[in-house]
Amino acid sequence: MDDKFTQIKNKLITLDIHEKAFRIACYLISCSKNGICYPSEYQISKELNICRNKVREYLKELEEHKVIKIEKRTIGTGKKAPSKYTIEKDYLVPRKKKQEQLDQLTQELLEEREPISQVDLFDYDWLEGE
């Protein structure tokens, strides 16, 4: 994948599901926009290196635990299209909340930090031993 990150709620971490189902849930959350995504089973299988049959099994497990809703889709003449996956709101960290959390952490770090003096920046005590 890439160097981006995804926030997940503790509720998903503590859920009693298979670890590969957990990985699939994290993947779906990471590629979702507003809690909705459309990766194919093949794409999920390829990205996470999980057999396609197992991907189907773990997707069903996630649906049974009400982590996701799966909506089968077809294109015009009945050709299959990637399913629509809707992640339940209980398992999503709202984007606005993410930014608020980052702002709050930044503010807390700034408040905790003591002013750095020029002497602290250029501490030459380590030269005394030479």
Side-chain angles (χ1 to χ4, degrees):
M1 294 180 77
D2 52 32
D3 61 348
K4 294 181 180 180
F5 67 93
T6 300
Q7 287 185 328
I8 56 172
K9 288 193 172 184
N10 290 343
K11 183 175 183 174
L12 182 60
I13 295 169
T14 58
L15 195 61
D16 187 22
I17 56 174
H18 192 279
E19 63 266 9
K20 289 183 180 177
F22 172 77
R23 288 181 57 214
I24 291 172
C26 292
Y27 177 77
L28 293 175
I29 291 169
S30 74
C31 65
S32 71
K33 301 281 188 223
N34 298 321
I36 298 172
C37 58
Y38 302 89
S40 66
E41 289 176 358
Y42 173 79
Q43 182 180 353
I44 296 168
S45 172
K46 184 179 174 187
E47 290 282 336
L48 300 179
N49 198 24
I50 301 171
C51 170
R52 274 180 79 182
N53 290 335
K54 289 294 185 180
V55 167
R56 281 188 207 105
E57 180 183 321
Y58 299 135
L59 286 169
K60 287 179 186 174
E61 182 179 353
L62 291 171
E63 190 172 37
E64 288 168 1
H65 280 85
K66 299 186 184 329
V67 175
I68 62 172
K69 288 182 186 173
I70 302 172
E71 182 182 321
K72 302 289 184 191
R73 302 181 321 132
T74 56
I75 300 173
T77 60
K79 183 180 177 185
K80 281 187 168 184
S83 295
K84 175 182 177 181
Y85 302 100
T86 305
I87 294 100
E88 294 296 328
K89 300 288 185 215
D90 291 347
Y91 297 97
L92 291 174
V93 177
R95 291 193 186 279
K96 183 178 178 185
K97 190 171 183 179
K98 286 181 191 177
Q99 189 59 50
E100 288 172 3
Q101 289 172 339
L102 288 172
D103 292 345
Q104 181 182 357
L105 285 172
T106 303
Q107 186 61 34
E108 288 173 7
L109 288 172
L110 289 173
E111 289 172 1
E112 288 177 7
R113 194 175 90 190
E114 295 178 18
I116 300 174
S117 70
Q118 192 170 10
V119 173
D120 292 332
L121 288 175
F122 300 102
D123 184 6
Y124 295 104
D125 288 346
W126 59 274
L127 288 175
E128 291 178 7
E130 294 184 12

